[in-house]
Amino acid sequence: MAEVGTMRVKSGLAEMLKGGVIMDVVNAEQALIAENAGAVAVMALERVPADIRRDGGVARMSDPGMIREIQEAVSIPVMAKCRIGHFAEAQILQALEVDYIDESEVLTPADTEHHVDKWGFTVPFVCGATNLGEALRRIGEGAAMIRTKGEAGTGDIVNAVTHMRAVFGGIRRLQSLRGDELYAAAKNLQAPYELVRWVAENGRLPVVTFTAGGIATPADASLCMQLGADGVFVGSGIFKSGDPDRRAKAIVEATTHYQDAKILAEVSTGLGEPMVGISSASLAEGERLEVRGW
């Protein structure tokens, strides 16, 4: 009998996306731009993070009608976001047969204490993390893919870099510990011991790890890949730029050939205006999205 909804199946879907770019889109037209550029999946949401940040208010799950239009327009996987802890939105997205649910800090959290119990769903989840402990807590809840957080909608890569270094550096530190020291490490990380031991023994997370937040140029994508990401999420950086078609293709090429500086120079040439962006350092504490989740 075929396996349905097991962690093996859920994480296997993410393995198929490795080395690729997942693009935020708000309509079928943008989804087609993403597919034609070579994106491995699209993330359907009502507004790209830059517009959520600009407009303020409460950001919620997208209209199912818009998600269906995108599903009908493209042949690549379609993901969609629910609010942190909003299991009813997740149930609706599963009923729509999206390929992945992103329990995302970009939307306004629905629960300040509990994330969705992802083991109860057959659809796989991706969740954000700023450090190793947060990543392992989400995996312990059933996340089949981790997305290291940046500061979404800013076009500033600095926070994405900070959090990737925190996650991957944390993994290297675990590998240096003795077996009897892993119990204290698990306590300090507030993460399940079995997961901590697995990471120490294997030198990686047990699921695919993409990165997101602030990627706006081909060089940004290359930087993330060289730091250890399995792939990248890009949204505002493409559709808030002067030439989304060309920039989307360039970021896909840069993600694929992230170690080839000559190709990176070529695809970075003449892309037009990048998104203007916001320096993450200028944001007040209440304006930061990455601190949502724990």
Side-chain angles (χ1 to χ4, degrees):
M1 180 179 291
E3 292 180 299
V4 177
T6 66
M7 179 55 84
R8 180 179 175 184
V9 171
K10 292 175 179 176
S11 59
L13 288 172
E15 288 284 341
M16 297 170 66
L17 306 177
K18 284 177 70 172
V21 179
I22 300 170
M23 295 185 191
D24 289 344
V25 299
V26 301
N27 53 45
E29 179 183 353
Q30 289 187 353
L32 287 170
I33 290 173
E35 183 173 45
N36 291 335
V40 293
V42 292
M43 178 71 71
L45 69 168
E46 190 174 41
R47 292 170 285 167
V48 293
D51 288 339
I52 292 174
R53 185 179 295 284
R54 180 198 63 199
D55 297 342
V58 176
R60 309 179 178 89
M61 178 192 74
S62 300
D63 186 319
M66 183 271 284
I67 295 172
R68 289 194 184 99
E69 287 178 5
I70 291 173
Q71 288 174 310
E72 291 170 2
V74 298
S75 58
I76 56 178
V78 176
M79 303 178 170
K81 292 181 184 288
C82 74
R83 285 176 269 181
I84 290 175
H86 206 314
F87 55 83
E89 285 187 346
Q91 291 165 349
I92 292 170
L93 293 175
Q94 178 166 267
L96 291 171
E97 299 183 347
V98 300
D99 294 284
Y100 246 88
I101 294 175
D102 187 344
E103 188 180 13
S104 177
E105 72 281 357
V106 171
L107 306 185
T108 308
D111 194 320
T112 59
E113 295 188 9
H114 306 286
H115 283 250
V116 173
D117 175 9
K118 292 161 272 288
W119 294 108
F121 290 79
T122 56
V123 63
F125 278 71
V126 54
C127 290
T130 58
N131 55 53
L132 180 58
E134 190 175 2
L136 293 177
R137 289 193 289 277
R138 298 292 84 78
I139 295 168
E141 294 163 356
M145 179 179 185
I146 289 296
R147 166 180 51 72
T148 59
K149 296 176 182 175
E151 194 52 61
T154 63
D156 188 348
I157 195 67
V158 64
N159 292 45
V161 169
T162 299
H163 302 319
M164 275 190 291
R165 288 193 182 279
V167 171
F168 300 134
I171 292 172
R172 289 191 292 273
R173 281 191 291 278
L174 281 187
Q175 289 184 285
S176 70
L177 299 180
R178 292 157 38 109
D180 59 343
E181 294 172 332
L182 292 176
Y183 295 98
K187 180 181 178 181
N188 292 334
L189 289 168
Q190 300 178 46
Y193 167 74
E194 292 300 328
L195 276 175
V196 170
R197 189 179 69 176
W198 193 97
V199 170
E201 292 174 350
N202 292 276
R204 62 180 180 84
L205 293 179
V207 300
V208 167
T209 308
F210 274 46
T211 194
I215 296 167
T217 69
D220 288 345
S222 171
L223 175 64
C224 294
M225 295 298 286
Q226 292 192 55
L227 286 173
D230 290 321
V232 299
F233 284 83
V234 187
S236 310
I238 290 174
F239 293 106
K240 291 299 179 182
S241 72
D243 189 342
D245 293 81
R246 193 167 182 184
R247 189 167 292 267
K249 292 174 183 173
I251 289 178
V252 169
E253 285 293 310
T255 303
T256 302
H257 304 287
Y258 65 93
Q259 292 181 307
D260 191 326
K262 289 186 178 179
I263 291 179
L264 294 172
E266 182 180 338
V267 302
S268 299
T269 302
L271 294 181
E273 291 295 320
M275 71 174 290
V276 175
I278 305 167
S279 169
S280 295
S282 69
L283 295 175
E285 187 65 24
E287 297 175 316
R288 294 172 58 202
L289 305 181
E290 65 181 20
V291 297
R292 296 168 170 176
W294 46 91

